Every structure is written in C-alpha cells, then in structure tokens.
Amino acid sequence: MTNTVISSRTKDVVIGFEQPFRVIGERINPTGRKLLAEEMKNGDYSRVEADALAQVAAGAHILDVNAGIPLADEPAILAKCIKLVQSITDVPLCIDSSILAALEAGLAVYEGKALLNSVTGEEERLEAVLPLVKKYGCAVIAISNDDSGISEDINVRFAVAKKILERAQDYGIPASDVIVDPLVMPIGAINSAGRQVMALVQRLRNELKVNTTCGASNLSFGLPNRNGLNTAFISMAIASGMTSAITNPLHAEIMQSVRGADVVMGHDAECSKWISLNRDPNAETRERRGKRGGRSRGRS
Amino acid sequence: MTNTVISSRTKDVVIGFEQPFRVIGERINPTGRKLLAEEMKNGDYSRVEADALAQVAAGAHILDVNAGIPLADEPAILAKCIKLVQSITDVPLCIDSSILAALEAGLAVYEGKALLNSVTGEEERLEAVLPLVKKYGCAVIAISNDDSGISEDINVRFAVAKKILERAQDYGIPASDVIVDPLVMPIGAINSAGRQVMALVQRLRNELKVNTTCGASNLSFGLPNRNGLNTAFISMAIASGMTSAITNPLHAEIMQSVRGADVVMGHDAECSKWISLNRDPNAETRERRGKRGGRSRGRS
C-alpha cells in the first residue's frame, strides 16, 4: 500500500491505494489555448488566476501548471504562475514542462513538496531530471516511454517504468515518490488502448507497488462526445487501480464519475461526500438531465 | 472464453467475454409500480407494450418480463405478457418470477431459447428450477445465495455459485447456460459492496469461466442521485469483466456509460457504434448537458 504525499505550504494531499482518487487539474496550460498563451506572454495572468480558482472550486486536489509558450521566457513565466497560484490557492501543484530550466525555476520558487511533470525513460531526461527531484525532494511523474519511443507492447512499457524506478532509487528517490504514467493512447487508432492501460495499471500497482496517473482525455482523441467516453474511461481506470489523473475538473460529468467511483471503491466513508454533494441543487439538475436524456432514448 | 446464446424466434443474442455488454431491460416489472400492477391485473397491457418498445429503442438487448402481482394469476399474466412482447419485438426475453408455475407457464409459450430468472443455491429452488431449465433447454441466472441467506463473505458467494454450476451439470445443463449474479448489495449499508462485486466477478470469470449479470441499481439503494452512482458502477463492473446487467435502458446516462465501456474494452470495432450514435442530435444534447453541468462546478 503506497502513499505519495504532495504538499503546498499549508496542505498535504496523499495519492494512494486506499485514498480517494486524486484529480490533477489540467487547465493552466497554454498548449492549444491561443488566447491564454498570448496573455501569459504579455504578463497578463488573470486567466491563470481564474482557471486556478475554478478548478479548485470544482474539486481538483492538485493543479498542473504549464507555461509552454513558443519564443517566450518559459522559466520566468512558469515561476511567476507558480507563485501566483500558490498565493491564491492552498492545493499542491504539479510543475509541468519539457524544458529543464523551467522545471528548476518552478521548483526554486515552489513552497512545499511539488509533483514534477515529468521524467521519461530516455537516458538524457533521466540524468537531467532525477538529480532535480533529489535536490528539491519532490515527487515525479514517470512516463513509460524511452529512447525507442512509445511501445504498443505493455510489457515494454512496464519494463521502462521499472527502469525509471530503479534509476530513481539509485539517486536515493523512494519508489513512493514516483508516480507512473502508463501512457494512454487514442482508442480511435488503437482498439486495445483501453485494455492496455487497465492491464498495465494493475501490474504497476501489484508488482511495482507504485501510484499511477495519466492524461485521461488522450483516450478519446479524435472521437465525438469525448466527455462521454472520458467519463466511462476514468471510472474504469479507477476500478483497475489508477490512483490519480490529469484531467479537466470543470467537466461536471467527469467529476461525478470520479466521485461515484470513489463510492464504489469504498473510498467515500459512509458515502458522506456523495450524499452531501448530491443533496444540493446539482442533484436536481442531474436528475433533470437524466430525464431529458431519457426522452431522447429513441436515438440514444 | 464463454458464450451464452439467448434467442427469440428470429434473433440470437450472445452474452460473452468478447461481446459488447448486454443490457437486460428491467422495466416490465410491476414491483413498486402500482399503476402498472393494476393495469396488468385488469388485463390492460398497453404500458407493457410501450415499455417493451421504448426499451428496445433505447438499446436493450434482452427484456426481462416479470408479472409478480399479489393476488393475481401470475402464471397466466406472465404468459400473456411474454406472448405480447414477442409479438411486437424481436429481442430475446428473460422470464422472471419467484413462482415456479409462472416460470413454467412462461417457458411453455416462449418461442426461442429464453433466459430464466432465476435459480439460487437453495436446495428446494435447485430441485425445482434446474429440471425446467433442462426440459426447455433455456439458460438460467444463478443467484449466489443459498439456504443460509446472502453471505457478506465473497468466498461463500463464490462457493454457492460453484455449487449451482455443479448441480446444473448434474442435470446436463452446460456451464455456458448458467449466468451468475454475484449479488450487488447497497453500498450505503456495506461500504465494501462495490469491491466485493468487482472481485467476485473477476473470480467467476477467471476460475469458473462463466458469464455474469446483476441488478446494477441495487448498489445505489437509499442514496441520492442514484443514476449518477449507477452510471459509474456499471462501467466499473464492465472493467472487472461483468458481461451483462439487468438495468433501466431508459436512462441515457447508463446507456452512454455502457457504450463508452464497450469502446474502452475494445468491443466496439473501430468505435463505429460510438461514432454513429454520437454524430446524431443526441451528441449535441450531451454536450449541452456537459456544459450546463460545468457552469455549476462551484457546487459540484
């Protein structure tokens, strides 16, 4: 039973086998968000602030912060965003960049124990990122691809994860501070993508005893009604033993699925959270939505 | 890999490990439906007809037919309902009664290979129902409780299921014609109910190689927003290997969850069913519902 503790200045969040599923809010990321990228580049962080507050209000336990903007000073912008978000919320953050200097700039200003996103099994990345993880005593997301790319063979992806864990331990980083991302492939392209992830999550949990996370919405890439598919997938990943995911908490269906899955997993004691959340006006809204859906059954 | 074939006069439905999840429509059941009970008792089957057509239109693969009305001639009413439903739909039926004479009356008029609901591990029930299953060559739902009641120990429920299978084989009934119901308990009362079912379904599938079904909505008994919880549970049960469920296909959220789970399990080749169902106006409806939910995130 593995627990990974991430913290802000004032708050610990535990990711673990017997914990409620942890939602890492993905919204603070300029990739594919032209307006946000433009604003961040020009030093306007009002949308970052709004996204942070909205995601926490929606129930995100951790917020991912990414400042990947072409031709911008990513390290400086990422550091600014992290200071800003930490000044207005108390949730721990996931520092997200493909650029080493940005990861370090973020870690340097972060107050608490961050989650670093990410290291892979690529030699260069291992040697660059793991010393940072050790230096700052943070936790890290390990993505199961390496110099040979992303394998469709889950045994290979399992082996890559195992290698990253061993290398982390060589640096004195405990396995409990490594959260493995088994990699979710688009199921529209690879029909077995869903079963691959579920099988891999079970093995990572049972054999390596590590926590897991994923970019949950990758599964539905290119398909219609992505929300509907993501909603089914996330509860199935939880049933398979996944303990966290990077996703969009502003989609009420996704959050309801996560909270329902917590109840089914026995991680909502006496269903008290479910009961309290569903005794508010939302419960009626959902009921009405259910009924409206029901009437269109002829085409459903 | 076990396949259970159920059929109407003109159509086979296969319940199996590599098949799409099969939804057994639960609506034709007067239990707790005063008006329907009154109408059926007085020979008015218009609502039975409407419920049958609506459930098939909503995507039910099999329809459960139950005529359990106090102080009524259940065998006669059940037989009438079965003839009626078979005359207006082509889906196979699940003949549902606690009364032996009603089961036999239903089987006597049924055209095709029915699913009988149900036998238990109770001696009396085994000796009464299994000969009927053999005589009519139907399939049967085996509920994993016996004379000692329903055990909270899944090992006991597993043993009961194993006993029923062995007894069925003594009567010359193949294991592939026995679909086990592991029994879903209300999670509001038993916090481990969800994990119990998922663990039991995995064992029944891996060790006994049988198909499984359940009354999916039992899990949410007594809790608010039952639909929301049932929606998460059904996809998690599918992830655990459940191959069918008795549920309400008129709830669009439930059907969307089942269809999403089929995609995730790799049982919707090239996602063609998902794509076709979500390219119609429903997709927009669902999107709107998603957005509306999103706006109320503050309280979600």
Side-chain angles (χ1 to χ4, degrees), chain A residues 232, chain B residues 20-23 61 231 234-235 238 247 253-263 274:
Chain B
F21 189 74
R22 301 307 182 184
V23 171
H61 304 98
T231 298
I234 203 159
S235 55
I238 295 170
T247 188
E253 289 163 304
I254 299 283
M255 292 306 287
Q256 176 169 294
S257 186
V258 166
R259 285 157 174 157
D262 282 341
V263 172
W274 180 266

Side-chain angles (χ1 to χ4, degrees), chain A residues 224 235 259 274 280 299-300, chain B residues 224-225 235 259 274 280 299-300:
Chain A
S235 55
R259 285 158 174 155
W274 181 266
D280 70 14
R299 284 162 292 126
S300 79
Chain B
N225 187 16
S235 55
R259 285 157 174 157
W274 180 266
D280 70 12
R299 284 164 291 128
S300 77

Side-chain angles (χ1 to χ4, degrees), chain B residues 84-120:
Chain B
L84 170 64
V85 174
Q86 284 210 290
S87 73
I88 57 169
T89 71
D90 67 349
V91 299
L93 304 184
C94 178
I95 301 172
D96 182 5
S97 178
S98 55
I99 294 170
L100 196 72
L103 292 177
E104 178 137 34
L107 286 165
V109 300
Y110 186 77
E111 296 184 79
K113 180 184 173 186
L115 178 58
L116 205 62
N117 186 6
S118 58
V119 68
T120 69

Side-chain angles (χ1 to χ4, degrees), chain A residues 108-174:
Chain A
V109 299
Y110 185 77
E111 297 184 79
K113 181 184 173 187
L115 177 59
L116 204 64
N117 186 6
S118 59
V119 68
T120 68
E122 297 160 294
E123 274 311 315
E124 201 183 307
R125 192 82 178 164
L126 284 165
E127 286 167 22
V129 175
L130 292 179
L132 273 188
V133 174
K134 178 62 181 173
K135 176 180 175 189
Y136 288 93
C138 61
V140 65
I141 294 174
I143 302 181
S144 49
N145 69 291
D146 63 10
D147 299 281
S148 64
I150 299 173
S151 174
E152 275 194 43
D153 176 349
I154 67 166
N155 296 312
V156 172
R157 270 143 72 190
F158 180 84
V160 171
K162 196 160 179 288
K163 180 184 82 175
I164 300 172
L165 274 165
E166 287 160 357
R167 293 293 290 277
Q169 277 154 344
D170 294 343
Y171 281 93
I173 301 160

Side-chain angles (χ1 to χ4, degrees), chain B residues 95-291:
Chain B
I95 301 172
D96 182 5
S97 178
S98 55
I99 294 170
L100 196 72
L103 292 177
E104 178 137 34
L107 286 165
V109 300
Y110 186 77
E111 296 184 79
K113 180 184 173 186
L115 178 58
L116 205 62
N117 186 6
S118 58
V119 68
T120 69
E122 297 159 296
E123 274 311 316
E124 202 183 305
R125 192 82 179 167
L126 284 165
E127 286 166 22
V129 175
L130 293 179
L132 274 186
V133 174
K134 179 61 182 174
K135 176 181 174 189
Y136 288 92
C138 60
V140 65
I141 294 174
I143 302 182
S144 50
N145 68 292
D146 63 10
D147 299 282
S148 64
I150 300 173
S151 174
E152 276 193 43
D153 177 348
I154 67 166
N155 296 313
V156 173
R157 271 144 71 189
F158 180 83
V160 171
K162 197 161 179 288
K163 179 184 81 174
I164 300 173
L165 275 165
E166 287 160 356
R167 292 292 291 277
Q169 277 154 344
D170 295 343
Y171 281 92
I173 301 161
S176 60
D177 277 341
V178 181
I179 299 176
V180 176
D181 180 344
L183 281 166
V184 176
M185 317 291 279
I187 201 158
I190 301 170
N191 190 54
S192 61
R195 284 171 104 155
Q196 279 182 4
V197 172
M198 294 191 285
L200 199 42
V201 164
Q202 278 168 22
R203 283 194 65 193
L204 291 164
R205 179 179 174 131
N206 298 335
E207 298 174 39
L208 301 184
K209 314 266 185 275
V210 289
N211 281 306
T212 44
T213 196
C214 71
S217 54
N218 294 0
L219 188 92
S220 61
F221 181 80
L223 294 173
N225 187 16
R226 294 189 65 176
N227 240 348
L229 189 52
N230 296 342
T231 298
F233 172 64
I234 203 159
S235 55
M236 295 169 82
I238 295 170
S240 306
M242 180 101 61
T243 51
S244 71
I246 301 174
T247 188
N248 186 350
L250 305 188
H251 289 310
E253 289 163 304
I254 299 283
M255 292 306 287
Q256 176 169 294
S257 186
V258 166
R259 285 157 174 157
D262 282 341
V263 172
V264 176
M265 296 296 284
H267 294 155
D268 181 354
E270 293 167 342
C271 311
S272 55
K273 188 169 187 185
W274 180 266
I275 291 167
S276 65
L277 285 168
N278 289 290
R279 277 210 179 129
D280 70 12
N282 280 354
E284 285 163 51
T285 315
R286 294 199 193 90
E287 274 314 294
R288 282 200 301 278
R289 272 191 271 135
K291 292 215 184 60

Side-chain angles (χ1 to χ4, degrees), chain B residues 16-56:
Chain B
F17 296 176
E18 295 308 325
Q19 299 293 322
F21 189 74
R22 301 307 182 184
V23 171
I24 303 170
E26 71 182 8
R27 293 292 294 157
I28 304 176
N29 188 331
T31 314
R33 296 183 68 189
K34 243 181 161 176
L35 186 56
L36 177 64
E38 211 40 57
E39 289 171 348
M40 288 170 78
K41 201 170 169 180
N42 302 329
D44 170 5
Y45 299 106
S46 53
R47 198 176 301 269
V48 171
E49 203 168 317
D51 283 340
L53 296 173
Q55 290 183 100
V56 172

